[in-house]
Amino acid sequence: MASISINCFFTPQALARPTRTKKIFAKPSNVSGKTRNPRKTNLHREAELKSRGGDKPQPVSDAGGEATTYTRLPPREDFSDVSLLSSSYLNFSEEVKLSESNVAGVEENVDTLGENDEEDKEKEAKSDDDEDIWGNYRVLDVFEGNSGLIDEDDDDYEDDEVFEYGDETDVEKSGVKDGEAICFSGEEEEEEEQEDEIGVKEKGVPAVMRCFDRAKIYVKAGDGGNGVVAFRREKFVPFGGPSGGDGGRGGNVYVEVDGSMNSLLPFRKSVHFRAGRGEHGRGKMQSGAKGVDVVVKVAPGTVVRQAREVGSEAVDDGEEEKEVLLELLHPGQRALVLPGGRGGRGNASFKSGMNKVPRIAENGEEGPEMWLDLELKLVADVGIVGAPNAGKSTLLSVISAAQPTIANYPFTTLLPNLGVVSFDYDSTMVVADLPGLLEGAHRGFGLGHEFLRHTERCSALVHVVDGSAPQPELEFEAVRLELELFSPEIAEKPYVVAYNKMDLPDAYEKWPMFRETLRARGIEPFCMSAVQRDGTHEVISSVYELLKKYREANAEAKGLYDQANENLDHVAKKIDKERRAAINEFKIFRDSGTRAWHVVGAGLQRFVQMTNWRYMDSDKRFQHVLDACGVNKSLKNMGVKEGDTVIVGEMELVWHDSANGSSRPTESNKTSTDSVRWPQWK
Ligand SMILES: Nc1nc2c(ncn2[C@@H]2O[C@H](COP(=O)(O)OP(=O)(O)OP(=O)(O)O)[C@@H](O)[C@H]2O)c(=O)[nH]1
Ligand SMILES: [Mg+2]
C-alpha cells in the first residue's frame, strides 16, 4: 500500500455525492453505461498502445506529475427504479426440461404473442443484476449496531423504500418461482433475425416448420455470490477477528443429449437459459451455497456453434465463420459449456499478517454468457431420397412402424420422418424419409436442400424412383446430379436404387428399359410396389447389407471417436482460460471522439467488476493494483492530463494530478457521504 501514498489514488467520486442512497446502489458496471463501453468506441480510437514494450514515451503532465487522484464520476442511471428491483427475488435454478408442452401449440402461440410482453419479460430477466442490491442490503443488516458513521438522514429511508421490493406480485406476474430456471417464450428479436437469415430459402414454409432443425439460444452461467465483511462478536472473545464468508459459485450451464427429443422445435419457445447465481456469504465464516445449474436438453445429432451476438455491431458478412464447439450424438452425453462465476471472497479471506482487520470483500464474478447456434443433423443410418411423389414415405411406412403422411401430390413430406426397421432383436437400423428433391435443389429450390445435410450422417441411401414418371431414367439422373452438386461426400455413399409403383402398368412397361439403362452404368436396381409391399423386403435387406459393411469398416474408428469425446468440457475450459487473463495484460486507447482513455484487459475488467466499492479498503486496493500492474505509469507515459476521463473496464474515472503526495479525499467528504457501517478506516 506504500505506493498509494506516494503516487496515485483512484477515489470514487461517489464519495462526494450528496446522498448516500445512490452510493450504496452504485455499481461500477452501471457507471459507464452502454455508450461508455470501450468496445463500442474502438472505431474511433486514435491511438493504440500496448502496456508493455509498445508504450510511446509521452510528455508527462507538468502539473505535479508526482501524485495523482482519480475520481469516479457519478452514475447516470436512476437506481431507484422499482421496476428493476421487483425481480430481485428471482432465483434461477433447477434443470430446464424441455417438455413436450413446449412443442405443442407452438403454431398458435408464436403468432399471438405480443412483442411487448416479450420485451418486458426480457427486462425482468436482465434485472437479475439487482441481486447485488439484495445482497448488500443483507450485509448492512449484519452491521446495524456499528453505525457510528452512518447518516440516518431521510435518504436512508428512501433506501428502505427502494428496498420494499417484496412486491411479489411482479414476481408472480413473471411466472418465475424460486428455484426455477428461467426460459422465455414466444417470438424474440433474435428469433426474428434467425428467421430473416434463413427466410430467403424457406419462404412459403409455415412458421412452425421453419427452424426446427436450427435454433439460436442464449445461455448464461450464474454469477458468483458476493463475499461479505463481518467480524466475530462474542461475549468474552475480544477482537474476534474477521469472519465474513465467501460467496457461492454461480451455477454452470450444461448441454445434454436427450434421447427422447427428435427436433429443436422446443427452442422456438424457450430461448434464454440462465443458471442460478451463487448465494452471498454470511457472517460466522459461512460461505454461500452454489448456484443451481441449468441443463439444456438437445436432440441426438445436435451440432453446437458459437453464434454472433444478437444486436452486435459486428459487420454481418453473411457467411461468417462459426466455430463448432460441440457435436452431440449419443443420448446421455453432457458437456459443460459455461462455468459459473467465482464467488467473491469475504473479509476472512483477506486477513493477513499485515492487515488483521480487513474491511474489504469482493463481489461475485459475473457468469459468462453466450449465444449458441444449434443445428440438428439427424442420426439416421439410412436416408430415403428421391423426387417428390416417388413413394418414399410409403416405403418408410411399410418397412417400419412410422406413420408419415402419404398423399398423391409433391412435397407431402415437409420434414424428415424417422422410422426404426428391425430385422431381428439386435439388428435394427434407423431410416429417414426426406422431403423430395427437385432439380436445382442444391441451389435451394424446393424443400429437399434444407434437409440434405441430414443425409451427411447416413451410412447408406435408398434412392426411390417413381416408375410412373414420364422418363424414370431422367428423374433418377436429375436426383443423382443434385446429390453430387450438393455434396460429393453424400454422392459417394453406398446406395440402393428402388424402382417403385410396379403395380401400375405404365411403370411395369418402363421397368426393363430402366433396368438396362442402370445396368449399363454398373448399377443393379430393385423393383417394388411399396403400396402392395412387393419387393420392399429385398430393397431393405440389400441396404442393410451395405450398412453392415459400413459399420464393420468403421467400428475401430468409432471407438476412437467416442474415446476422444469422452470429456466434453473443453468449451468451458477455454472460456475459463480467457477470463483468467493476467491483470497486467492490458491495452490503452484514446477515443478520438470523447477524448477518454480506455484501459482494456480481461483481467482488469474482471477485477473492476469484482471490486465492491462500498468498502473503503476496496478503493485502496484498486489504486494499489492499478499502480502495481503499470496502468498509472502507462497512462502518464501516454500523456494523460488533469481532468481527463479514464475508463478502466467498466469504471469511469477522472484523472487528477496533484502536487502533494497526500491527495486523498478530504475528511469532510468521507463523513458526509459515507456508506459503510463498520469501523472506519483510519
Ligand atoms: N400405385 C402405387 N402408388 C404408390 C406406390 N407407392 C406410393 N404410391 C402413391 O404415390 C403417392 C405419393 O406417395 P408418397 O409416399 O407420399 O410419396 P413421397 O415420395 O413421400 O412424396 P413427397 O413426400 O411429396 O416427396 C401416394 O398417393 C401413394 O399412394 C406404389 O407402389 N404403387
Ligand atoms: Mg413423402
Side-chain angles (χ1 to χ4, degrees), residues 384 386-397 404-414 417 433-437 464 466 468 500-504 528-533:
I384 305 179
N389 222 27
K392 301 179 293 296
S393 305
T394 313
L395 176 63
L396 183 74
S397 71
T405 317
I406 297 165
N408 196 13
Y409 53 83
F411 299 117
T412 314
T413 305
L414 298 172
N417 300 303
D433 156 41
L434 299 168
L437 286 172
V464 179
D466 185 355
S468 65
N500 193 24
K501 307 196 184 178
M502 274 293 272
D503 56 299
L504 297 176
M528 64 176 188
S529 169
V531 161
Q532 295 183 349
R533 302 184 179 222

Side-chain angles (χ1 to χ4, degrees), residues 400-463:
S400 73
Q403 293 179 331
T405 317
I406 297 165
N408 196 13
Y409 53 83
F411 299 117
T412 314
T413 305
L414 298 172
L415 307 173
N417 300 303
L418 284 185
V420 178
V421 181
S422 44
F423 294 92
D424 203 352
Y425 183 72
D426 59 347
S427 48
T428 58
M429 61 180 179
V430 180
V431 180
D433 156 41
L434 299 168
L437 286 172
L438 278 183
E439 194 177 337
H442 72 281
R443 293 201 303 275
F445 289 132
L447 293 171
H449 164 259
E450 265 302 304
F451 307 104
L452 267 182
R453 65 174 171 275
H454 296 310
T455 56
E456 282 171 9
R457 287 173 193 276
C458 294
S459 314
L461 303 176
V462 176
H463 186 158

Side-chain angles (χ1 to χ4, degrees), residues 25 27 30 84-93 124-139 163 165 176-180 182 220 222-226 248 250 274-280 289 291 363-364 612:
F25 304 137
K27 275 185 58 179
N30 289 328
L84 284 175
L85 294 168
S86 62
S87 59
S88 38
Y89 267 142
L90 299 183
N91 272 334
F92 309 127
S93 52
E124 281 176 24
K126 277 180 182 165
S127 66
D128 65 350
D129 286 345
D130 298 321
E131 286 191 7
D132 285 352
I133 300 168
W134 172 230
N136 292 342
Y137 184 59
R138 293 208 302 206
V139 173
F163 276 121
Y165 55 90
V176 179
K177 294 173 200 153
D178 276 6
E180 247 184 32
I182 190 161
K220 184 181 184 309
D223 299 340
N226 298 341
R274 291 178 171 90
R277 87 164 292 166
E279 242 182 45
H280 302 312
N363 287 331
N612 191 335

Side-chain angles (χ1 to χ4, degrees), residues 574-586:
K574 194 178 146 207
I575 290 170
D576 230 20
K577 203 175 158 194
E578 279 168 15
R579 289 165 68 86
R580 305 268 177 282
I583 202 160
N584 56 2
E585 287 173 12
F586 59 86

Side-chain angles (χ1 to χ4, degrees), residues 4-175:
I4 291 170
S5 55
I6 301 164
N7 273 323
C8 305
F9 284 94
F10 283 91
T11 306
Q13 184 156 338
L15 292 175
R17 304 186 61 226
T19 66
R20 92 178 172 76
T21 310
K22 294 185 180 179
K23 161 68 174 138
I24 288 178
F25 304 137
K27 275 185 58 179
S29 56
N30 289 328
V31 171
S32 54
K34 220 178 177 184
T35 52
R36 290 288 184 189
N37 190 339
R39 278 175 291 171
K40 300 203 169 178
T41 50
N42 280 357
L43 296 173
H44 309 294
R45 281 168 194 154
E46 233 173 33
E48 170 179 347
L49 287 173
K50 291 207 169 181
S51 61
R52 280 188 271 170
D55 290 349
K56 242 189 191 175
Q58 298 268 339
V60 179
S61 151
D62 293 334
E66 286 300 312
T68 47
T69 304
Y70 285 101
T71 310
R72 187 169 62 182
L73 293 176
R76 291 189 214 137
E77 274 144 47
D78 184 0
F79 287 90
S80 59
D81 185 350
V82 180
S83 68
L84 284 175
L85 294 168
S86 62
S87 59
S88 38
Y89 267 142
L90 299 183
N91 272 334
F92 309 127
S93 52
E94 263 182 30
E95 285 195 359
V96 177
K97 172 78 183 159
L98 297 170
S99 61
E100 285 304 308
S101 58
N102 283 343
V103 184
V106 170
E107 200 163 10
E108 301 93 65
N109 290 342
V110 164
D111 293 332
T112 52
L113 276 168
E115 272 179 30
N116 293 342
D117 293 352
E118 288 310 308
E119 277 168 25
D120 290 346
K121 284 181 184 178
E122 191 147 30
K123 268 184 205 162
E124 281 176 24
K126 277 180 182 165
S127 66
D128 65 350
D129 286 345
D130 298 321
E131 286 191 7
D132 285 352
I133 300 168
W134 172 230
N136 292 342
Y137 184 59
R138 293 208 302 206
V139 173
L140 292 178
D141 271 349
V142 173
F143 299 101
E144 227 155 23
N146 305 327
S147 53
L149 299 159
I150 304 164
D151 288 352
E152 289 295 328
D153 55 7
D154 289 345
D155 295 325
D156 286 343
Y157 294 105
E158 275 175 31
D159 291 356
D160 292 339
E161 276 169 31
V162 173
F163 276 121
E164 280 177 6
Y165 55 90
D167 44 353
E168 286 162 23
T169 44
D170 281 8
V171 178
E172 279 163 23
K173 263 187 240 163
S174 74

